[in-house]
Short mmCIF file of all heavy atoms in Angstrom, two decimals:
data_model
loop_
_atom_site.label_atom_id
_atom_site.label_comp_id
_atom_site.label_asym_id
_atom_site.label_seq_id
_atom_site.Cartn_x
_atom_site.Cartn_y
_atom_site.Cartn_z
N PHE A 429 -153.95 -128.86 -13.01
CA PHE A 429 -153.85 -127.40 -12.89
C PHE A 429 -152.67 -126.97 -12.03
O PHE A 429 -152.48 -125.78 -11.79
CB PHE A 429 -155.14 -126.83 -12.30
CG PHE A 429 -156.31 -126.84 -13.24
CD1 PHE A 429 -157.17 -127.93 -13.29
CD2 PHE A 429 -156.56 -125.77 -14.08
CE1 PHE A 429 -158.24 -127.94 -14.15
CE2 PHE A 429 -157.63 -125.76 -14.95
CZ PHE A 429 -158.47 -126.86 -14.99
N GLY A 430 -151.93 -127.93 -11.52
CA GLY A 430 -150.81 -127.60 -10.64
C GLY A 430 -151.20 -127.49 -9.19
O GLY A 430 -150.46 -126.90 -8.39
N VAL A 431 -152.37 -128.07 -8.83
CA VAL A 431 -152.83 -128.04 -7.44
C VAL A 431 -152.53 -129.40 -6.81
O VAL A 431 -153.09 -130.42 -7.25
CB VAL A 431 -154.33 -127.74 -7.35
CG1 VAL A 431 -154.81 -127.78 -5.90
CG2 VAL A 431 -154.65 -126.39 -7.98
N PRO A 432 -151.69 -129.49 -5.80
CA PRO A 432 -151.44 -130.76 -5.12
C PRO A 432 -152.75 -131.35 -4.59
O PRO A 432 -153.59 -130.62 -4.03
CB PRO A 432 -150.49 -130.39 -3.98
CG PRO A 432 -149.82 -129.14 -4.45
CD PRO A 432 -150.86 -128.40 -5.25
N SER A 433 -152.94 -132.65 -4.78
CA SER A 433 -154.24 -133.26 -4.48
C SER A 433 -154.07 -134.57 -3.74
O SER A 433 -153.05 -135.26 -3.89
CB SER A 433 -155.01 -133.49 -5.79
OG SER A 433 -155.12 -132.30 -6.53
N VAL A 434 -155.09 -134.91 -2.95
CA VAL A 434 -155.08 -136.13 -2.18
C VAL A 434 -156.47 -136.73 -2.18
O VAL A 434 -157.48 -136.00 -2.20
CB VAL A 434 -154.59 -135.87 -0.73
CG1 VAL A 434 -155.51 -134.90 -0.02
CG2 VAL A 434 -154.46 -137.17 0.06
N ARG A 435 -156.55 -138.06 -2.14
CA ARG A 435 -157.82 -138.77 -2.03
C ARG A 435 -157.90 -139.37 -0.63
O ARG A 435 -156.93 -139.89 -0.09
CB ARG A 435 -157.94 -139.87 -3.08
CG ARG A 435 -157.74 -139.39 -4.49
CD ARG A 435 -157.89 -140.54 -5.48
NE ARG A 435 -159.29 -140.77 -5.79
CZ ARG A 435 -159.75 -141.91 -6.32
NH1 ARG A 435 -158.91 -142.93 -6.54
NH2 ARG A 435 -161.03 -142.04 -6.61
N VAL A 436 -159.11 -139.30 -0.05
CA VAL A 436 -159.30 -139.79 1.30
C VAL A 436 -160.63 -140.51 1.39
O VAL A 436 -161.58 -140.20 0.65
CB VAL A 436 -159.25 -138.61 2.32
CG1 VAL A 436 -160.38 -137.63 2.08
CG2 VAL A 436 -159.29 -139.13 3.75
N ASP A 437 -160.70 -141.49 2.29
CA ASP A 437 -161.96 -142.17 2.58
C ASP A 437 -162.88 -141.16 3.27
O ASP A 437 -162.69 -140.82 4.44
CB ASP A 437 -161.69 -143.38 3.48
CG ASP A 437 -162.96 -144.17 3.80
OD1 ASP A 437 -164.06 -143.69 3.46
OD2 ASP A 437 -162.84 -145.26 4.39
N GLY A 438 -163.87 -140.70 2.55
CA GLY A 438 -164.75 -139.67 3.09
C GLY A 438 -165.67 -140.14 4.18
O GLY A 438 -166.33 -139.32 4.83
N ASN A 439 -165.73 -141.45 4.44
CA ASN A 439 -166.53 -141.98 5.54
C ASN A 439 -165.68 -142.31 6.76
O ASN A 439 -166.18 -142.89 7.73
CB ASN A 439 -167.28 -143.24 5.08
CG ASN A 439 -168.30 -142.93 4.00
OD1 ASN A 439 -168.73 -141.78 3.86
ND2 ASN A 439 -168.67 -143.91 3.23
N ASP A 440 -164.42 -141.94 6.70
CA ASP A 440 -163.47 -142.12 7.81
C ASP A 440 -163.20 -140.75 8.41
O ASP A 440 -162.42 -139.96 7.88
CB ASP A 440 -162.19 -142.77 7.27
CG ASP A 440 -161.13 -143.01 8.35
OD1 ASP A 440 -161.27 -142.48 9.46
OD2 ASP A 440 -160.16 -143.72 8.05
N VAL A 441 -163.85 -140.46 9.53
CA VAL A 441 -163.78 -139.11 10.08
C VAL A 441 -162.36 -138.76 10.52
O VAL A 441 -161.94 -137.59 10.40
CB VAL A 441 -164.79 -138.95 11.24
CG1 VAL A 441 -164.42 -139.82 12.44
CG2 VAL A 441 -164.94 -137.50 11.65
N LEU A 442 -161.60 -139.72 11.01
CA LEU A 442 -160.23 -139.43 11.44
C LEU A 442 -159.33 -139.13 10.26
O LEU A 442 -158.50 -138.21 10.30
CB LEU A 442 -159.67 -140.60 12.26
CG LEU A 442 -160.39 -140.92 13.57
CD1 LEU A 442 -159.68 -142.06 14.29
CD2 LEU A 442 -160.46 -139.69 14.47
N ALA A 443 -159.49 -139.90 9.18
CA ALA A 443 -158.67 -139.65 8.00
C ALA A 443 -158.99 -138.30 7.38
O ALA A 443 -158.10 -137.59 6.89
CB ALA A 443 -158.89 -140.77 6.97
N VAL A 444 -160.27 -137.91 7.41
CA VAL A 444 -160.66 -136.61 6.87
C VAL A 444 -160.05 -135.49 7.69
O VAL A 444 -159.55 -134.49 7.14
CB VAL A 444 -162.20 -136.50 6.81
CG1 VAL A 444 -162.60 -135.09 6.41
CG2 VAL A 444 -162.78 -137.51 5.83
N ILE A 445 -160.07 -135.62 9.00
CA ILE A 445 -159.43 -134.61 9.85
C ILE A 445 -157.94 -134.50 9.51
O ILE A 445 -157.39 -133.40 9.36
CB ILE A 445 -159.61 -134.95 11.34
CG1 ILE A 445 -161.05 -134.76 11.77
CG2 ILE A 445 -158.70 -134.07 12.21
CD1 ILE A 445 -161.31 -135.13 13.22
N ALA A 446 -157.29 -135.64 9.34
CA ALA A 446 -155.84 -135.63 9.11
C ALA A 446 -155.49 -134.94 7.80
O ALA A 446 -154.60 -134.06 7.78
CB ALA A 446 -155.32 -137.08 9.11
N VAL A 447 -156.14 -135.30 6.71
CA VAL A 447 -155.78 -134.70 5.42
C VAL A 447 -156.18 -133.23 5.38
O VAL A 447 -155.48 -132.41 4.75
CB VAL A 447 -156.40 -135.48 4.24
CG1 VAL A 447 -155.90 -136.91 4.21
CG2 VAL A 447 -157.92 -135.45 4.28
N THR A 448 -157.25 -132.85 6.04
CA THR A 448 -157.65 -131.44 6.05
C THR A 448 -156.66 -130.61 6.85
O THR A 448 -156.30 -129.49 6.46
CB THR A 448 -159.07 -131.28 6.62
OG1 THR A 448 -159.98 -132.12 5.91
CG2 THR A 448 -159.54 -129.84 6.49
N ARG A 449 -156.21 -131.13 7.97
CA ARG A 449 -155.19 -130.42 8.75
C ARG A 449 -153.91 -130.25 7.94
O ARG A 449 -153.27 -129.18 7.97
CB ARG A 449 -154.89 -131.18 10.05
CG ARG A 449 -155.96 -131.02 11.12
CD ARG A 449 -155.60 -131.83 12.36
NE ARG A 449 -156.49 -131.53 13.49
CZ ARG A 449 -156.41 -132.11 14.69
NH1 ARG A 449 -155.45 -133.02 14.91
NH2 ARG A 449 -157.24 -131.79 15.66
N ALA A 450 -153.54 -131.28 7.20
CA ALA A 450 -152.32 -131.20 6.39
C ALA A 450 -152.48 -130.15 5.28
O ALA A 450 -151.54 -129.38 5.01
CB ALA A 450 -152.01 -132.57 5.79
N ALA A 451 -153.66 -130.11 4.66
CA ALA A 451 -153.90 -129.13 3.60
C ALA A 451 -153.91 -127.71 4.15
O ALA A 451 -153.37 -126.78 3.53
CB ALA A 451 -155.22 -129.45 2.90
N LEU A 452 -154.52 -127.52 5.32
CA LEU A 452 -154.55 -126.20 5.94
C LEU A 452 -153.15 -125.76 6.36
O LEU A 452 -152.80 -124.58 6.28
CB LEU A 452 -155.49 -126.21 7.14
CG LEU A 452 -156.99 -126.34 6.83
CD1 LEU A 452 -157.77 -126.63 8.10
CD2 LEU A 452 -157.51 -125.08 6.16
N GLU A 453 -152.36 -126.71 6.80
CA GLU A 453 -150.97 -126.40 7.15
C GLU A 453 -150.20 -125.89 5.94
O GLU A 453 -149.45 -124.91 6.04
CB GLU A 453 -150.32 -127.66 7.70
CG GLU A 453 -148.88 -127.47 8.16
CD GLU A 453 -148.29 -128.77 8.68
OE1 GLU A 453 -147.88 -129.61 7.84
OE2 GLU A 453 -148.25 -128.95 9.92
N ARG A 454 -150.39 -126.50 4.80
CA ARG A 454 -149.75 -126.04 3.57
C ARG A 454 -150.19 -124.61 3.24
O ARG A 454 -149.38 -123.77 2.84
CB ARG A 454 -150.09 -126.95 2.40
CG ARG A 454 -149.50 -128.34 2.46
CD ARG A 454 -149.70 -129.09 1.15
NE ARG A 454 -148.86 -128.54 0.08
CZ ARG A 454 -149.28 -127.73 -0.89
NH1 ARG A 454 -150.55 -127.38 -0.96
NH2 ARG A 454 -148.45 -127.29 -1.81
N ALA A 455 -151.50 -124.36 3.38
CA ALA A 455 -152.02 -123.04 3.05
C ALA A 455 -151.43 -121.97 3.95
O ALA A 455 -151.03 -120.89 3.48
CB ALA A 455 -153.54 -123.06 3.15
N ARG A 456 -151.35 -122.24 5.25
CA ARG A 456 -150.90 -121.23 6.20
C ARG A 456 -149.41 -120.96 6.09
O ARG A 456 -148.96 -119.85 6.37
CB ARG A 456 -151.25 -121.66 7.62
CG ARG A 456 -152.75 -121.75 7.89
CD ARG A 456 -153.05 -121.98 9.36
NE ARG A 456 -154.48 -122.16 9.58
CZ ARG A 456 -155.07 -123.32 9.80
NH1 ARG A 456 -154.35 -124.42 9.87
NH2 ARG A 456 -156.37 -123.38 9.99
#
Side-chain angles (χ1 to χ4, degrees):
F429 287 90
V431 177
S433 306
V434 61
R435 305 181 83 199
V436 63
D437 182 351
N439 295 339
D440 180 347
V441 67
L442 297 183
V444 173
I445 289 178
V447 299
T448 306
R449 284 179 171 179
L452 290 168
E453 182 181 79
R454 291 189 71 257
R456 295 189 184 104

